Amino acid sequence: MEKTLRILIRSIERIVSTAFLAVLLLLLFFAVYVTVSDRRIVAEASSAVYESYKPTEDGSASFDELVSINHDVVGWLTMDDTKIDYPLVRGRNNEIYINTAVSGEFSLSGSLFLDFRNAADFSDPLSIVYGHNMAGDVMFGGIDNYADPSYYADHLTGTLFCGGEYYKLEVFAYFEADGHDMRVYAPRLQPTECADWLEMVGALAVNRAEMLPEEGPILLMSTCAVGETNGRNLLAAAIRPGGSPPPVTESHKSRSGGLLAPSAEERSPWVYLVPAGVVLLGLTVLYAALRRRKKR
């Protein structure tokens, strides 16, 4: 009877040990999967994916190629010395491009998209562009940097390309608001309502210019605020004529990455699997040592 009991106890110990190692292994691979998946999402959202299609001083042939890929492409937005440097799309509603890339394929990072109620040529008094707040300042993840007064002061310019023309962007306010506030989100804003809208923005502003513009057209960039269900971070800029295209770079001349393929360097999963395996081996050795000590 005693011998049978010892055999049963050992069998239970082996089952427990196997289950313990199995759980550790599952946790390991889950952690690796999440890490690699997050990196891939950020890589897909990088502006480098689209850089070769950016309209430049040599012309807009590359941009026209992008339009031929997706007819919803309506322009290009660049904020100087930031990672905001993306094509703009406009869908038939405001849900399509939340999880759709400019290529038209499913993507958790989505696209920067113009409110479907706005004119595609950005001629409305207020044009609203939406984008995800993502890690690494990709997409609109860098907008909340404008909450810092020094960062705000150093990043007040940008360029909007649409309809074959370049326009200057002059930032005049960074502010925070509720995503359901229809006073802020007013794509149907009329020219006679511009002054009141600008006065409201001036009152909400965290950082702002001393002199606000007197009228539109205005570009409003909107993204979610981290940790707030309905909170939004917003950057407002006046759209002015007389913009100039950016210079040509080597990335504009090359299509070596393939059609809309991420050009950001992606590490192999083994970069994460090897150290994770070492950690798992260490835990296994520690567990075995503790069991041996317990038996003694």
Side-chain angles (χ1 to χ4, degrees), residues 148-192:
D148 180 350
S150 60
Y151 185 94
Y152 174 90
D154 291 337
H155 299 83
L156 295 176
T157 59
T159 302
L160 173 66
F161 176 82
C162 66
E165 300 290 335
Y166 296 89
Y167 297 88
K168 293 187 294 185
L169 294 177
E170 299 174 354
V171 173
F172 62 84
Y174 166 80
F175 64 104
E176 297 163 359
D178 188 286
H180 297 301
D181 191 340
M182 294 300 100
R183 299 173 304 157
V184 172
Y185 292 92
R188 302 293 193 192
L189 191 73
Q190 298 301 307
T192 55

Side-chain angles (χ1 to χ4, degrees), residues 47-115:
S47 61
V49 174
Y50 306 102
E51 192 171 13
S52 61
Y53 298 94
K54 182 176 178 179
T56 67
E57 60 188 359
D58 280 0
S60 61
S62 58
F63 179 78
D64 292 340
E65 185 179 344
L66 185 60
V67 174
S68 69
I69 295 170
N70 183 356
H71 296 308
D72 285 345
V73 174
V74 295
W76 196 286
L77 171 64
T78 303
M79 296 306 297
D80 297 336
D81 301 318
T82 77
K83 293 185 179 181
I84 300 175
D85 193 17
Y86 292 94
L88 301 173
V89 291
R90 187 187 68 161
R92 62 180 180 274
N93 57 52
N94 285 343
E95 283 72 50
I96 295 174
Y97 285 101
I98 291 177
N99 293 126
T100 302
V102 172
S103 62
E105 299 176 352
F106 173 80
S107 171
L108 288 174
S109 57
S111 305
L112 298 189
F113 61 95
L114 177 66
D115 194 297

Side-chain angles (χ1 to χ4, degrees), residues 170-243:
E170 299 174 354
V171 173
F172 62 84
Y174 166 80
F175 64 104
E176 297 163 359
D178 188 286
H180 297 301
D181 191 340
M182 294 300 100
R183 299 173 304 157
V184 172
Y185 292 92
R188 302 293 193 192
L189 191 73
Q190 298 301 307
T192 55
E193 301 170 326
C194 242
D196 290 339
W197 188 89
L198 287 164
E199 183 179 353
M200 174 189 62
V201 168
L204 292 172
V206 175
N207 290 308
R208 52 165 287 184
E210 290 186 16
M211 296 293 294
L212 299 179
E214 296 181 357
E215 56 184 6
I218 296 162
L219 182 67
L220 181 64
M221 293 162 264
S222 172
T223 191
C224 295
V226 176
E228 298 182 34
T229 303
N230 296 320
R232 298 293 184 270
N233 299 329
L234 300 111
L235 190 65
I239 303 174
R240 305 295 190 206

Side-chain angles (χ1 to χ4, degrees), residues 39-40 42-49 138 261-267:
R39 281 187 56 84
R40 186 173 296 276
V42 171
E44 289 175 352
S46 169
S47 61
V49 174
V138 297
S263 58
E265 181 181 355
E266 294 185 34
R267 295 182 182 179

